[in-house]
Amino acid sequence: MKTFKISEIPIRLSLFIIICFGLIPSLFFMGFQYIDIKRKIEAGRNLHLADIKQQLKMEVKIDYEICNALHAVKIKRLKRSIKSAMDIVFSMVETEYHMHEHTMEPLQIADLIHDQLQCVRLFSEGGYFFILSTKGRVELYPPDLSQEGLSWLNLEDSNGKRIVREMIHLAQTAGGGFLEYAWPVSKDPSKSRKKTSYVRIFEPLNWIIGTGEYIQNIENEIQEEIIESKRQHNIMEDDISFISDLEGKLTVGKTLGFGNLSTTAIKQAIEQIDRTSLKSSGDFFRLSTIGKDGNEYDMLGFAKYYLPWGWIGGKIVNLNIMENRTDFLKKRLKKEMIGEFTFMLLTLIFAISFVFMIGKYYAWQVKKHMSEFEAFFENASKKKEQIKLEKVQFEELKTLGRTANEMVSKRIDQQEKIEQVNLKLKHTNQKLRELANVDGLTNLANRRFFNSLIEKEWHRAARERQKITLGMLDIDFFKRYNDTYGHQMGDDCLIKVGTILKEAMRRPADLAARYGGEEFVILLPSTTLEGGKSTAESIRQQVQALNIPHSGSPFGRVSFSMGLACITPSPQKSPQYLLELADKALYKAKETRDQIICMKE
């Protein structure tokens, strides 16, 4: 089909009138114009309805993709946190075992590790650490200590999965890994929820050590975020979001903005949708409501089933807005058609030449405004600026301008939402990185962070030929303290000692860390042995000033032994050499306790 510019229509029409000098051709033209207007109105209505349907379907699809993305990201982070915590605890268990394997019997070491892990929690009620033997015997189960000593080898969850057998097989064949199963809730053992756990084998004691978290806790957080965002959407936007279940019970959508549209009306509309379509690609539905002004409003909605959570989610829009626009366009076009007919008739009677000039002027005006409107659209697409409707004189262009402004506004809103989600993810990642480097009890750096830092400081000191001092501290008779006063008092004692160590670190490069159990380390870069001894003696005096009673100690109070080592690093040696030197000093200090022994190269 040959195309032409709108601005050329008045010129062509004027020439046609001048050439023909007759009314009949003009009447035929107006008749064809009328038919064309009706066709365009109907085509525009159908196109607008198709666009609304496409937009509804796309927005619901995006909502479900967001649900899947949030679920996948949070489950991945949960597993990463569980594995990180297990690595830390497993390292502590290995350290504890190797520290005492030559001085204690295996059963005594097992009891010591049992006591240390009994009170450790990862996230919530499901975040405890458990221990199973490779034959299925329960060695540690904090939620119910009466289960310890029993055999769980044939234990099955509500789905018939043999949990313990699979844990043992996974640990023995792969060394460890994740396992998902249904597990009773500690607050209500009659109910089970899906749980993911990470297990790992500790071969010296033939143990399977594991920990985990209920997946439902993460899913509840995601669902609450999505429901709250939909509530906010219903307050701010003209369209309405709703979330329901298969029985029609609404979670979001009770406060609707279109007249008397009720929960019952939505439920009845959803029930009419074919369940096969609802669970596959989703489907559209229609419903009506009576507005506050007494008029009937036609509504269009789209709903889709979300299998993982049993949700039916969707959106509803008011189709009367489209009908009103169509009626307005129809009246305006008819009015313009009648006006143009009258104008042409008068022009033929009074002045053919004047008609030509008017047509030319009208063409110039159309071309001018079309050029301005094209410039407005260019700014809207490139700079996200809205079209200034007050400068647009033609109603057709104003209608297009409103639609363009709505698209720009939604694009800006979506961009802001994406930026907010990215900011939240950035803050969450920062918190996870901080938690991975901090001991959960004393708030000191953990052994993992210490190991990474001592490597950096060792290489820096080697380049700059600076000394580095390391102190290893062990609280005297701490097991007796725990046995006498309980693990809660023992934790309080560790926290107090950790606070003194943290406050004693005066410089940014100084570090106090929990090395494992009742062991701590202090790392003093660019510090001589005399400077390190001064700092260590200050710490010893502050701990002595606490005067924490300890009936199991010959000193009658809590004290510690420290091995202090100082060295000038070289590329031929590793930080392990400094650690071994400090450990030898600590070993000598523990011969008489409550003292500081120094060593250097």
Side-chain angles (χ1 to χ4, degrees):
M1 181 178 180
K2 185 178 180 180
T3 60
F4 57 89
K5 295 182 179 180
I6 297 176
S7 59
E8 296 177 356
I9 293 178
I11 298 294
R12 293 186 179 186
L13 186 59
S14 299
L15 291 174
F16 179 77
I17 295 173
I18 294 172
I19 294 172
C20 294
F21 292 97
L23 181 61
I24 294 176
S26 300
L27 292 175
F28 272 107
F29 178 78
M30 292 303 297
F32 285 121
Q33 283 290 93
Y34 179 76
I35 295 173
D36 188 55
I37 287 172
K38 290 184 65 177
R39 180 183 62 80
K40 288 182 179 179
I41 290 174
E42 186 62 26
R45 185 179 182 279
N46 293 334
L47 181 61
H48 188 52
L49 180 60
D51 288 342
I52 291 176
K53 285 186 174 182
Q54 181 66 24
Q55 183 176 355
L56 277 176
K57 191 172 182 179
M58 181 61 67
E59 289 179 357
V60 173
K61 180 180 179 182
I62 290 173
D63 289 343
Y64 281 19
E65 289 177 351
I66 290 174
C67 291
N68 291 330
L70 286 175
H71 186 272
V73 169
K74 291 209 171 187
I75 292 299
K76 184 176 181 181
R77 290 178 180 167
L78 173 65
K79 288 186 175 183
R80 189 186 305 153
S81 299
I82 291 174
K83 187 177 184 303
S84 177
M86 172 57 74
D87 291 341
I88 294 172
V89 169
F90 195 86
S91 177
M92 181 190 73
V93 171
E94 287 182 328
T95 301
E96 198 69 28
Y97 180 85
H98 292 308
M99 184 183 299
H100 299 288
E101 64 177 332
H102 300 299
T103 58
M104 297 174 63
E105 294 295 326
L107 289 178
Q108 292 177 322
I109 300 175
D111 289 340
L112 180 62
I113 297 173
H114 174 282
D115 293 341
Q116 291 180 349
L117 294 185
Q118 183 174 335
C119 299
V120 177
R121 293 293 183 272
L122 182 56
F123 298 106
S124 61
E125 73 275 9
Y128 53 84
F129 286 84
F130 60 87
I131 301 175
L132 302 168
S133 71
T134 54
K135 294 184 178 181
R137 182 176 179 270
V138 181
E139 301 293 340
L140 172 63
Y141 184 61
D144 187 1
L145 298 179
S146 64
Q147 296 292 319
E148 296 181 2
L150 301 180
S151 175
W152 281 4
L153 188 61
N154 296 318
L155 181 65
E156 296 181 351
D157 66 359
S158 58
N159 298 322
K161 178 184 288 188
R162 291 193 172 185
I163 308 170
V164 175
R165 286 182 180 270
E166 290 193 17
M167 286 182 178
I168 294 173
H169 177 73
L170 179 63
Q172 288 181 336
T173 56
F178 285 96
L179 187 70
E180 292 186 358
Y181 51 89
W183 193 253
V185 182
S186 59
K187 295 181 179 179
D188 188 1
S190 62
K191 297 181 180 179
S192 296
R193 289 190 300 181
K194 192 175 180 181
K195 188 174 185 179
T196 182
S197 293
Y198 184 82
V199 296
R200 191 170 174 182
I201 188 168
F202 184 65
E203 294 181 349
L205 295 176
N206 290 323
W207 276 0
I208 309 296
I209 304 176
T211 186
E213 173 64 299
Y214 290 105
I215 296 178
Q216 184 65 44
N217 294 341
I218 300 299
E219 293 181 343
N220 289 341
E221 293 178 6
I222 301 173
Q223 292 174 4
E224 285 298 326
E225 291 178 6
I226 293 172
I227 290 172
E228 183 57 30
S229 68
K230 295 307 173 188
R231 289 197 181 102
Q232 295 299 322
H233 175 90
N234 289 349
I235 294 173
M236 301 297 295
E237 300 294 337
D238 292 333
D239 55 349
I240 293 299
S241 295
F242 67 89
I243 296 174
S244 171
D245 56 18
L246 286 175
E247 287 71 32
K249 181 180 180 181
L250 283 180
T251 303
V252 174
K254 295 183 179 179
T255 303
L256 300 174
F258 302 132
N260 299 323
L261 185 60
S262 64
T263 300
T264 304
I266 298 179
K267 180 180 178 181
Q268 292 175 349
I270 295 176
E271 288 175 349
Q272 297 174 5
I273 302 176
D274 180 69
R275 285 297 184 258
T276 303
S277 299
L278 188 65
K279 292 183 177 181
S280 58
S281 60
D283 205 352
F284 294 94
F285 60 91
R286 302 287 285 266
L287 66 159
S288 300
T289 184
I290 304 299
K292 297 179 180 179
D293 54 0
N295 295 326
E296 183 177 359
Y297 290 90
D298 188 23
M299 318 294 291
L300 174 67
F302 180 80
K304 190 176 184 301
Y305 184 70
Y306 187 59
L307 179 62
W309 297 339
W311 278 3
I312 298 176
K315 288 191 175 183
I316 302 173
V317 296
N318 185 3
L319 289 180
N320 285 73
I321 297 175
M322 180 186 71
E323 296 295 335
N324 292 339
R325 289 178 179 175
T326 303
D327 292 341
F328 176 81
L329 180 62
K330 186 186 300 182
K331 292 178 181 179
R332 183 183 56 75
L333 290 175
K334 286 182 178 179
K335 185 177 180 180
E336 287 184 357
M337 184 185 67
I338 294 173
E340 289 177 358
F341 177 80
T342 303
F343 177 75
M344 286 189 298
L345 184 60
L346 293 175
T347 304
L348 287 171
I349 296 172
F350 292 105
I352 295 175
S353 59
F354 183 74
V355 169
F356 179 76
M357 295 300 296
I358 293 297
K360 198 168 184 179
Y361 173 77
Y362 186 65
W364 175 77
Q365 287 288 336
V366 171
K367 186 175 182 180
K368 173 186 175 183
H369 289 292
M370 288 297 295
S371 299
E372 292 177 352
F373 199 73
E374 289 176 0
F376 290 153
F377 260 109
E378 184 175 358
N379 289 333
S381 62
K382 293 183 178 180
K383 303 178 182 178
K384 299 181 183 178
E385 294 180 358
Q386 292 191 339
I387 297 171
K388 299 178 181 179
L389 298 178
E390 64 274 9
K391 294 185 178 181
V392 180
Q393 297 181 7
F394 293 95
E395 291 298 330
E396 295 92 337
L397 299 183
K398 280 190 175 182
T399 301
L400 293 174
R402 293 188 190 99
T403 304
N405 286 345
E406 290 177 2
M407 293 174 62
V408 171
S409 297
K410 290 182 179 181
R411 181 180 177 185
I412 293 173
D413 291 342
Q414 291 296 330
Q415 186 66 32
E416 290 176 353
K417 291 178 181 179
I418 292 173
E419 291 175 357
Q420 290 175 1
V421 170
N422 289 336
L423 184 60
K424 289 181 180 179
L425 291 176
K426 182 179 180 181
H427 290 168
T428 302
N429 288 332
Q430 181 63 29
K431 290 181 180 179
L432 289 175
R433 284 194 295 269
E434 292 174 358
L435 289 174
N437 294 327
V438 175
D439 177 63
L441 178 63
T442 62
N443 282 329
L444 294 176
N446 57 25
R447 185 167 180 174
R448 176 184 176 183
F449 183 75
F450 165 77
N451 289 338
S452 64
L453 184 63
I454 194 174
E455 286 283 345
K456 296 178 182 177
E457 291 297 332
W458 180 271
H459 294 301
R460 185 185 64 81
R463 290 194 308 270
E464 299 175 0
R465 298 182 179 274
Q466 295 287 329
K467 292 185 178 296
I468 185 170
T469 299
L470 174 68
M472 299 187 71
L473 179 154
D474 187 285
I475 298 177
D476 297 329
F477 311 105
F478 188 73
K479 185 179 184 305
R480 297 181 189 175
Y481 187 88
N482 272 340
D483 294 340
T484 304
Y485 300 98
H487 288 278
Q488 183 60 50
M489 291 294 292
D491 289 347
D492 291 341
C493 177
L494 293 175
I495 291 172
K496 291 177 181 179
V497 173
T499 300
I500 292 175
L501 290 171
K502 189 173 184 179
E503 293 176 352
M505 302 298 100
R506 304 296 185 184
R507 300 174 304 172
D510 296 343
L511 175 72
R514 187 178 180 189
Y515 200 64
E518 68 272 20
E519 283 191 331
F520 299 86
V521 291
I522 57 173
L523 181 65
L524 305 174
S526 303
T527 303
T528 62
L529 185 61
E530 289 75 18
K533 185 174 181 182
S534 175
T535 300
E537 184 60 29
S538 175
I539 295 171
R540 191 185 72 83
Q541 292 176 4
Q542 291 183 59
V543 172
Q544 183 177 353
L546 291 176
N547 199 23
I548 302 174
H550 186 355
S551 60
S553 171
F555 309 108
R557 57 174 172 76
V558 171
S559 61
F560 67 84
S561 302
M562 179 183 289
L564 199 65
C566 181
I567 190 173
T568 300
S570 63
Q572 292 76 25
K573 296 179 181 179
S574 68
Q576 187 62 32
Y577 178 79
L578 181 59
L579 286 167
E580 291 173 356
L581 199 62
D583 188 62
K584 290 179 182 179
L586 175 61
Y587 183 79
K588 289 185 179 181
K590 290 173 68 174
E591 292 178 356
T592 57
R593 310 281 181 161
D594 193 19
Q595 64 172 336
I596 301 169
I597 297 297
C598 301
M599 281 192 176
K600 60 181 180 178
E601 286 185 301

